[in-house]
Amino acid sequence: MYLYLLGLVVLFYLFRWIRELPRVPGKGSKYVYITGCDSGFGSLLARHLDKHGFRVIAACFSEKGEEDLKKSCSSKLITTHLDVTSQESIAKATATITDKVGEHGLWAVVNNAGVAVPSGPCDWHTLDDYKSMLDVNLNGVIGVTLSVLPLIKKARGRVVNIASVFGRIGITGGPYCVSKHGVEGFTDSLRLGMDPFGVKVLCIEPGFFKTNVTDSSLHVKNIKMLWERLPQEVRDDYGSDYLQKAIDEVKDKVPKMSDGDLMKVVSCMEHAVSAVWPRKRYSPGWDAKLFWLPMSYMPTCVADYLFLKGAVPIAKQMQ
């Protein structure tokens, strides 16, 4: 019996591997719009797709990001400034794209732009903290997608949204998990709505990788900033030694958990853009596949117990 089950599993993965091999033809005429190309996954993907013959439109927040890409890519690559929190900036980028793609339409948009801070316990935050991150991580994804959706429908192309394993399970306070859960919800609803138009909507849920998002020095600075603005009453709830313990935790665990091979994520992005039969969801990173996603299917009481067991203790809890 077990051998039959094992055989079925092997056949399934063999079938999926063969099915996912073919790539779309005519890459030289297919335009791909990527947000957040200043660094990290976005920059690597822009270079990778440019090298493979796609017509890349790389959106950067900074002039330096644009200049770096122009120096390292072919003359076919187009850069544009984009602030995903600004409707005016989104509209300007869309006008540029519309002018470039013409009747071909836009083959793909990759919503990669995102931020990770401020991030801390929920009661360390203000509503403005939530609004500022949601404007980038969620509203930015929605705004950019809606702005180019008519062009993607024309090309019968695809939307690729970069979420996170923390869009499947929330283990940190603050707006980050909220924003990524929102991206998951938007992706699911858009995927069903666009299917009749021949548009594929795909989601990538990376685990921990060594990018600006997981930079421990950035998170340490963020924790200190949040702590310093807290009312004394809230500091007393957590205890005077909580801050240092939280900082030590970030310095110790985040670098250990973060995978340095960013191409694991970029390869999934490339497959989502170029495969004839892409997956609905990708989960790059062994931590995502073997821990975070399985944990998201656990009973809530089990997941809560495991996460709380390893949490930094608070002063009132120890009394």
Side-chain angles (χ1 to χ4, degrees), residues 181-244:
H181 273 77
V183 171
E184 294 273 355
F186 175 63
T187 303
D188 286 345
S189 59
L190 185 68
R191 184 180 65 251
L192 295 173
M194 288 297 103
D195 186 74
F197 297 98
V199 172
K200 292 179 170 61
V201 182
L202 317 158
C203 190
I204 298 178
E205 305 163 330
F208 275 86
F209 285 86
K210 290 182 180 178
T211 66
N212 291 339
V213 171
T214 57
D215 182 353
S216 58
S217 62
L218 174 68
H219 285 280
V220 167
K221 183 179 178 181
N222 159 74
I223 291 170
K224 288 180 178 178
M225 180 275 292
L226 292 175
W227 178 266
E228 287 168 2
R229 74 179 192 185
L230 286 176
Q232 189 59 48
E233 180 184 2
V234 178
R235 293 192 200 184
D236 291 341
D237 286 345
Y238 282 86
S240 58
D241 60 346
Y242 184 90
L243 175 63
Q244 189 56 52

Side-chain angles (χ1 to χ4, degrees), residues 13-315:
Y13 280 103
L14 180 61
F15 168 76
R16 190 177 73 169
W17 177 72
I18 294 172
R19 186 173 186 262
E20 292 179 349
L21 285 177
R23 295 297 195 265
V24 294
K27 294 178 183 178
S29 63
K30 286 180 165 54
Y31 285 85
V32 180
Y33 177 30
I34 310 167
T35 69
C37 291
D38 297 83
S39 61
F41 299 135
S43 178
L44 285 174
L45 179 64
R47 299 166 202 261
H48 188 67
L49 292 183
D50 177 68
K51 184 178 179 181
H52 282 74
F54 282 95
R55 303 297 297 268
V56 176
I57 303 172
C60 300
F61 184 72
S62 67
E63 289 184 9
K64 184 180 184 302
E66 292 186 56
E67 291 170 2
D68 289 345
L69 280 177
K70 286 177 180 176
K71 289 176 183 176
S72 58
C73 295
S74 74
S75 58
K76 292 188 302 180
L77 181 130
I78 302 163
T79 62
T80 184
H81 170 74
L82 178 65
D83 176 358
V84 297
T85 67
S86 165
Q87 201 57 44
E88 181 183 358
S89 180
I90 290 174
K92 284 183 178 179
T94 302
T96 299
I97 293 165
T98 303
D99 181 59
K100 292 292 181 184
V101 303
E103 291 302 313
H104 292 288
L106 180 64
W107 173 249
V109 59
V110 181
N111 285 300
N112 169 72
V115 294
V117 294
S119 186
C122 289
D123 56 344
W124 290 22
H125 290 277
T126 65
L127 182 58
D128 285 340
D129 292 335
Y130 280 81
K131 287 180 177 179
S132 65
M133 187 177 288
L134 289 171
D135 276 346
V136 178
N137 290 3
L138 178 57
N139 296 336
V141 170
I142 296 171
V144 167
T145 301
L146 295 180
S147 73
V148 296
L149 205 51
L151 298 174
I152 292 173
K153 287 164 72 175
K154 184 181 290 187
R156 296 175 65 86
R158 47 197 67 179
V159 177
V160 183
N161 291 333
I162 313 305
S164 166
V165 287
F166 298 135
R168 299 287 291 274
I169 184 168
I171 67 159
T172 63
Y176 187 76
C177 291
V178 176
S179 69
K180 294 303 182 180
H181 273 77
V183 171
E184 294 273 355
F186 175 63
T187 303
D188 286 345
S189 59
L190 185 68
R191 184 180 65 251
L192 295 173
M194 288 297 103
D195 186 74
F197 297 98
V199 172
K200 292 179 170 61
V201 182
L202 317 158
C203 190
I204 298 178
E205 305 163 330
F208 275 86
F209 285 86
K210 290 182 180 178
T211 66
N212 291 339
V213 171
T214 57
D215 182 353
S216 58
S217 62
L218 174 68
H219 285 280
V220 167
K221 183 179 178 181
N222 159 74
I223 291 170
K224 288 180 178 178
M225 180 275 292
L226 292 175
W227 178 266
E228 287 168 2
R229 74 179 192 185
L230 286 176
Q232 189 59 48
E233 180 184 2
V234 178
R235 293 192 200 184
D236 291 341
D237 286 345
Y238 282 86
S240 58
D241 60 346
Y242 184 90
L243 175 63
Q244 189 56 52
K245 288 181 178 179
I247 289 172
D248 292 342
E249 187 92 347
V250 168
K251 288 182 176 178
D252 177 54
K253 288 189 175 179
V254 173
K256 289 180 180 177
M257 294 168 63
S258 300
D259 191 332
D261 184 7
L262 303 189
M263 287 305 298
K264 289 178 182 176
V265 178
V266 174
S267 295
C268 290
M269 293 168 141
E270 183 271 332
H271 191 270
V273 168
S274 67
V276 173
W277 297 104
R279 300 181 192 178
K280 298 290 191 297
R281 277 187 166 85
Y282 297 81
S283 304
W286 289 113
D287 62 323
K289 291 180 175 68
L290 301 180
F291 184 74
W292 299 114
L293 292 181
M295 192 61 65
S296 72
Y297 291 106
M298 288 281 187
T300 302
C301 60
V302 174
D304 284 359
Y305 171 77
L306 292 173
F307 292 137
L308 289 171
K309 187 178 180 181
V312 177
I314 63 172

